[in-house]
Amino acid sequence: MTTPMASPTPTTGPTRRREAFDRRTIWLSALVLFGSLVVGIVLMAIFADPGTDPQPTTTDSGAPHIIDRPNSGHKPTNSGDRGGWEQLALLGGMVVVIGGIGFVVFKGGSAAKANRDRWKAAGESGQDGALSSEP
């Protein structure tokens, strides 16, 4: 009959993996990211159409304004106009998605805290529940 081997005592603090990634992998990924940003900026500078210079609009007082004043324009008529339903739908979608991300982060944080508390309690009791003395 063999005697069961004693399991090492669990640590009371979180462990940290050292050298999880090779240093060359991190440098290579950073270089690719930086290079793609530089290439994108150069391509935008070459191929972007600056358009025409905006013409100042005049108001009732005769003073020109480059930026239109509130309620001085017209209601949106095309789907690409500012203030149309597509723009408002996009804003609503962004609000929903950002709220969903915040909800997932909040719920994930509380689950992680509960798991950490159970892990600490198991470490203090000396039983982690993974090894059983029963066959």
mmCIF file of all heavy atoms in Angstrom, residues 33-52:
data_model
loop_
_atom_site.group_PDB
_atom_site.id
_atom_site.type_symbol
_atom_site.label_atom_id
_atom_site.label_comp_id
_atom_site.label_asym_id
_atom_site.label_seq_id
_atom_site.Cartn_x
_atom_site.Cartn_y
_atom_site.Cartn_z
ATOM 1 N N LEU A 33 2.778 47.266 -34.702
ATOM 2 C CA LEU A 33 1.740 48.244 -34.398
ATOM 3 C C LEU A 33 2.191 49.657 -34.760
ATOM 4 O O LEU A 33 1.461 50.400 -35.432
ATOM 5 C CB LEU A 33 1.375 48.178 -32.912
ATOM 6 C CG LEU A 33 0.350 49.197 -32.437
ATOM 7 C CD1 LEU A 33 -0.993 48.942 -33.092
ATOM 8 C CD2 LEU A 33 0.225 49.149 -30.940
ATOM 9 N N PHE A 34 3.384 50.035 -34.350
ATOM 10 C CA PHE A 34 3.901 51.368 -34.652
ATOM 11 C C PHE A 34 4.070 51.559 -36.155
ATOM 12 O O PHE A 34 3.729 52.610 -36.699
ATOM 13 C CB PHE A 34 5.235 51.593 -33.924
ATOM 14 C CG PHE A 34 5.802 52.958 -34.133
ATOM 15 C CD1 PHE A 34 5.233 54.059 -33.522
ATOM 16 C CD2 PHE A 34 6.899 53.142 -34.962
ATOM 17 C CE1 PHE A 34 5.753 55.330 -33.719
ATOM 18 C CE2 PHE A 34 7.426 54.410 -35.169
ATOM 19 C CZ PHE A 34 6.849 55.500 -34.543
ATOM 20 N N GLY A 35 4.590 50.549 -36.834
ATOM 21 C CA GLY A 35 4.777 50.633 -38.285
ATOM 22 C C GLY A 35 3.460 50.784 -39.027
ATOM 23 O O GLY A 35 3.355 51.575 -39.969
ATOM 24 N N SER A 36 2.438 50.044 -38.595
ATOM 25 C CA SER A 36 1.138 50.171 -39.263
ATOM 26 C C SER A 36 0.526 51.544 -39.017
ATOM 27 O O SER A 36 -0.127 52.096 -39.909
ATOM 28 C CB SER A 36 0.194 49.059 -38.808
ATOM 29 O OG SER A 36 -0.062 49.161 -37.436
ATOM 30 N N LEU A 37 0.727 52.108 -37.836
ATOM 31 C CA LEU A 37 0.244 53.469 -37.583
ATOM 32 C C LEU A 37 0.949 54.481 -38.476
ATOM 33 O O LEU A 37 0.311 55.367 -39.051
ATOM 34 C CB LEU A 37 0.447 53.843 -36.114
ATOM 35 C CG LEU A 37 -0.504 53.200 -35.115
ATOM 36 C CD1 LEU A 37 -0.077 53.540 -33.701
ATOM 37 C CD2 LEU A 37 -1.910 53.668 -35.369
ATOM 38 N N VAL A 38 2.254 54.363 -38.610
ATOM 39 C CA VAL A 38 3.009 55.299 -39.442
ATOM 40 C C VAL A 38 2.592 55.162 -40.903
ATOM 41 O O VAL A 38 2.359 56.163 -41.588
ATOM 42 C CB VAL A 38 4.529 55.078 -39.269
ATOM 43 C CG1 VAL A 38 5.326 55.831 -40.320
ATOM 44 C CG2 VAL A 38 4.966 55.486 -37.880
ATOM 45 N N VAL A 39 2.446 53.938 -41.388
ATOM 46 C CA VAL A 39 2.033 53.725 -42.775
ATOM 47 C C VAL A 39 0.630 54.293 -43.000
ATOM 48 O O VAL A 39 0.363 54.937 -44.011
ATOM 49 C CB VAL A 39 2.102 52.226 -43.141
ATOM 50 C CG1 VAL A 39 1.408 51.945 -44.458
ATOM 51 C CG2 VAL A 39 3.544 51.770 -43.196
ATOM 52 N N GLY A 40 -0.270 54.093 -42.058
ATOM 53 C CA GLY A 40 -1.622 54.636 -42.185
ATOM 54 C C GLY A 40 -1.631 56.144 -42.220
ATOM 55 O O GLY A 40 -2.367 56.758 -43.006
ATOM 56 N N ILE A 41 -0.823 56.777 -41.384
ATOM 57 C CA ILE A 41 -0.755 58.240 -41.369
ATOM 58 C C ILE A 41 -0.192 58.764 -42.684
ATOM 59 O O ILE A 41 -0.705 59.745 -43.250
ATOM 60 C CB ILE A 41 0.082 58.728 -40.164
ATOM 61 C CG1 ILE A 41 -0.672 58.455 -38.861
ATOM 62 C CG2 ILE A 41 0.422 60.202 -40.291
ATOM 63 C CD1 ILE A 41 0.154 58.670 -37.619
ATOM 64 N N VAL A 42 0.837 58.114 -43.202
ATOM 65 C CA VAL A 42 1.428 58.548 -44.465
ATOM 66 C C VAL A 42 0.427 58.385 -45.608
ATOM 67 O O VAL A 42 0.264 59.285 -46.447
ATOM 68 C CB VAL A 42 2.736 57.774 -44.740
ATOM 69 C CG1 VAL A 42 3.214 57.972 -46.165
ATOM 70 C CG2 VAL A 42 3.808 58.181 -43.755
ATOM 71 N N LEU A 43 -0.285 57.255 -45.642
ATOM 72 C CA LEU A 43 -1.276 57.046 -46.694
ATOM 73 C C LEU A 43 -2.410 58.068 -46.616
ATOM 74 O O LEU A 43 -2.897 58.551 -47.639
ATOM 75 C CB LEU A 43 -1.831 55.628 -46.625
ATOM 76 C CG LEU A 43 -0.861 54.512 -47.047
ATOM 77 C CD1 LEU A 43 -1.494 53.152 -46.838
ATOM 78 C CD2 LEU A 43 -0.440 54.697 -48.491
ATOM 79 N N MET A 44 -2.842 58.396 -45.400
ATOM 80 C CA MET A 44 -3.894 59.414 -45.250
ATOM 81 C C MET A 44 -3.395 60.780 -45.708
ATOM 82 O O MET A 44 -4.136 61.545 -46.314
ATOM 83 C CB MET A 44 -4.359 59.487 -43.796
ATOM 84 C CG MET A 44 -5.236 58.344 -43.381
ATOM 85 S SD MET A 44 -6.767 58.258 -44.304
ATOM 86 C CE MET A 44 -7.552 59.761 -43.814
ATOM 87 N N ALA A 45 -2.143 61.100 -45.425
ATOM 88 C CA ALA A 45 -1.597 62.386 -45.839
ATOM 89 C C ALA A 45 -1.480 62.479 -47.362
ATOM 90 O O ALA A 45 -1.672 63.548 -47.938
ATOM 91 C CB ALA A 45 -0.234 62.614 -45.192
ATOM 92 N N ILE A 46 -1.199 61.350 -48.009
ATOM 93 C CA ILE A 46 -1.027 61.367 -49.462
ATOM 94 C C ILE A 46 -2.371 61.370 -50.182
ATOM 95 O O ILE A 46 -2.599 62.144 -51.106
ATOM 96 C CB ILE A 46 -0.178 60.157 -49.909
ATOM 97 C CG1 ILE A 46 1.257 60.316 -49.404
ATOM 98 C CG2 ILE A 46 -0.199 60.005 -51.416
ATOM 99 C CD1 ILE A 46 2.121 59.096 -49.626
ATOM 100 N N PHE A 47 -3.288 60.513 -49.747
ATOM 101 C CA PHE A 47 -4.511 60.300 -50.512
ATOM 102 C C PHE A 47 -5.738 61.045 -49.987
ATOM 103 O O PHE A 47 -6.798 60.979 -50.601
ATOM 104 C CB PHE A 47 -4.827 58.803 -50.574
ATOM 105 C CG PHE A 47 -3.796 58.027 -51.344
ATOM 106 C CD1 PHE A 47 -2.982 57.118 -50.699
ATOM 107 C CD2 PHE A 47 -3.635 58.230 -52.698
ATOM 108 C CE1 PHE A 47 -2.033 56.403 -51.401
ATOM 109 C CE2 PHE A 47 -2.688 57.516 -53.406
ATOM 110 C CZ PHE A 47 -1.892 56.606 -52.761
ATOM 111 N N ALA A 48 -5.653 61.730 -48.883
ATOM 112 C CA ALA A 48 -6.822 62.430 -48.344
ATOM 113 C C ALA A 48 -7.109 63.675 -49.177
ATOM 114 O O ALA A 48 -6.207 64.415 -49.556
ATOM 115 C CB ALA A 48 -6.599 62.813 -46.894
ATOM 116 N N ASP A 49 -8.373 63.901 -49.451
ATOM 117 C CA ASP A 49 -8.792 65.079 -50.198
ATOM 118 C C ASP A 49 -9.196 66.157 -49.201
ATOM 119 O O ASP A 49 -10.179 65.989 -48.473
ATOM 120 C CB ASP A 49 -9.970 64.721 -51.100
ATOM 121 C CG ASP A 49 -10.419 65.902 -51.941
ATOM 122 O OD1 ASP A 49 -9.610 66.832 -52.139
ATOM 123 O OD2 ASP A 49 -11.575 65.879 -52.398
ATOM 124 N N PRO A 50 -8.448 67.260 -49.153
ATOM 125 C CA PRO A 50 -8.778 68.275 -48.160
ATOM 126 C C PRO A 50 -10.083 69.000 -48.461
ATOM 127 O O PRO A 50 -10.652 69.633 -47.590
ATOM 128 C CB PRO A 50 -7.594 69.233 -48.213
ATOM 129 C CG PRO A 50 -7.018 69.054 -49.569
ATOM 130 C CD PRO A 50 -7.293 67.635 -49.952
ATOM 131 N N GLY A 51 -10.596 68.916 -49.686
ATOM 132 C CA GLY A 51 -11.839 69.594 -50.022
ATOM 133 C C GLY A 51 -11.609 71.076 -50.243
ATOM 134 O O GLY A 51 -10.492 71.566 -50.356
ATOM 135 N N THR A 52 -12.694 71.796 -50.293
ATOM 136 C CA THR A 52 -12.589 73.239 -50.505
ATOM 137 C C THR A 52 -12.612 73.948 -49.164
ATOM 138 O O THR A 52 -13.127 73.435 -48.175
ATOM 139 C CB THR A 52 -13.766 73.730 -51.371
ATOM 140 O OG1 THR A 52 -14.973 73.445 -50.685
ATOM 141 C CG2 THR A 52 -13.770 73.043 -52.722
#
